[in-house]
Amino acid sequence: MPKPKNPVFRENMYTLPNFLTFSRLVSAPVIGYLVLKSNHVWAAPVFIYACFTDLLDGFIARKYGLQSIVGSVLDPMADKILMITLTGCLAWIGNLPLWIATIIFGRDFLLGLSAIYYRYVSLPTPKTMKRYWDFSIPSAEVRPTTISKYNTALQMGLIGVSVLKPLVLPSLTVGSQALALQAISGLEYTVAATTILSGLSYVFSKTAVKILSEEEIEERRLNQLTLMAKRKTEKTRIANGDKDKK
């Protein structure tokens, strides 16, 4: 008799960390539109919300064991879409130097091509377009390098400064404006350097992208089933406790 095939393992995508990450993804075009319309008063708080979700989703995922392959892909994707959108919009209105935008775009374009490649080669057969875009089917895990984490923080800092600059600079004295512009210029060169270094780190790092084996996927499936069983038991215990009180 032919050996029965194991069912395709699909992760639970509908978690709070993934919802927060998705909301950051959606906020990118909103902030970009506000920047293009020079509505920095509204662009600034929405950008702060996006940065807050970037910290909160990872914290919740680690604290409550809600890490997922989907999240490991969606989180950096949301960061990159936010970064690319705002970089382009800020460069378009002249709030960000074009040479900085070119470096950021170049790095992210090359990393995007490599992500497309790794997703294809790691996807279990059959390799169809539907399965390719179904991120509940885990195949590869992205692990940001150390320099990449610093670079993301610095890029976010530069974008935040560029968004706030039209609001803050006019309220400063002439001397303070000159010092602020010098500090911003230094930040721009720092971001350029870390952007190039972080791109190279993905090329030479052996742990940045990990293609999951069948054993690792099965282990994740069992871990998720165990976690679901624990949550069901906890809900039943709480429900029974409420009944006893009544």
Side-chain angles (χ1 to χ4, degrees):
M1 294 179 62
K3 187 178 179 180
K5 294 184 178 180
N6 293 327
V8 176
F9 167 51
R10 296 178 184 273
E11 284 191 323
N12 176 25
M13 299 190 300
Y14 306 105
T15 63
L16 180 57
N18 287 345
F19 172 78
L20 291 171
T21 303
F22 183 73
S23 72
R24 184 165 73 257
L25 189 67
V26 173
S27 73
V30 175
I31 305 171
Y33 174 80
L34 293 171
V35 167
L36 290 177
K37 294 297 182 180
S38 297
N39 193 341
H40 301 283
V41 174
W42 280 103
V46 180
F47 176 75
I48 292 172
Y49 164 79
C51 293
F52 179 71
T53 62
D54 194 20
L55 298 173
L56 188 61
D57 58 5
F59 171 77
I60 294 175
R62 290 187 297 270
K63 183 174 178 62
Y64 297 101
L66 296 175
Q67 299 98 326
S68 64
I69 299 299
V70 177
S72 76
V73 174
L74 193 61
D75 184 67
M77 181 188 298
D79 290 340
K80 288 310 161 193
I81 290 177
L82 178 64
M83 186 63 57
I84 289 172
T85 301
L86 294 187
T87 297
C89 293
L90 289 167
W92 181 264
I93 66 174
N95 278 17
L96 192 70
L98 184 59
W99 64 271
I100 282 281
T102 302
I103 291 175
I104 293 175
F105 281 143
R107 169 192 177 274
D108 289 343
F109 176 74
L110 293 177
L111 290 181
L113 290 179
S114 65
I116 292 172
Y117 166 76
Y118 277 112
R119 173 61 174 172
Y120 178 78
V121 298
S122 64
L123 184 67
T125 54
K127 298 180 185 292
T128 63
M129 286 297 294
K130 182 179 180 180
R131 285 167 55 83
Y132 182 91
W133 294 107
D134 186 353
F135 292 112
S136 67
I137 302 176
S139 60
E141 186 175 39
V142 179
R143 297 177 178 178
T145 60
T146 301
I147 185 63
S148 178
K149 293 178 181 179
Y150 288 126
N151 174 244
T152 299
L154 288 169
Q155 282 186 354
M156 285 292 187
L158 178 59
I159 293 300
V161 168
S162 300
V163 171
L164 293 172
K165 186 166 62 174
L167 297 175
V168 177
L169 276 183
S171 64
L172 300 178
T173 63
V174 175
S176 298
Q177 285 184 5
L179 290 175
L181 291 174
Q182 287 180 359
I184 293 172
S185 178
L187 180 59
E188 289 170 352
Y189 282 105
T190 302
V191 167
T194 56
T195 299
I196 294 171
L197 290 174
S198 65
L200 293 175
S201 72
Y202 279 105
V203 174
F204 296 106
S205 174
K206 296 181 179 179
T207 59
V209 179
K210 181 181 180 182
I211 296 178
L212 300 176
S213 64
E214 292 184 4
E215 291 77 13
E216 289 172 318
I217 294 176
E218 176 64 15
E219 181 182 356
R220 289 173 184 272
R221 185 183 74 85
L222 293 175
N223 289 339
Q224 182 166 304
L225 290 175
T226 301
L227 182 61
M228 291 172 62
K230 287 182 179 179
R231 289 176 184 166
K232 186 176 181 180
T233 301
E234 182 66 17
K235 288 180 179 179
T236 302
R237 184 185 65 79
I238 293 174
N240 291 336
D242 293 339
K243 290 180 180 179
D244 292 339
K245 291 179 181 179
K246 293 179 180 179

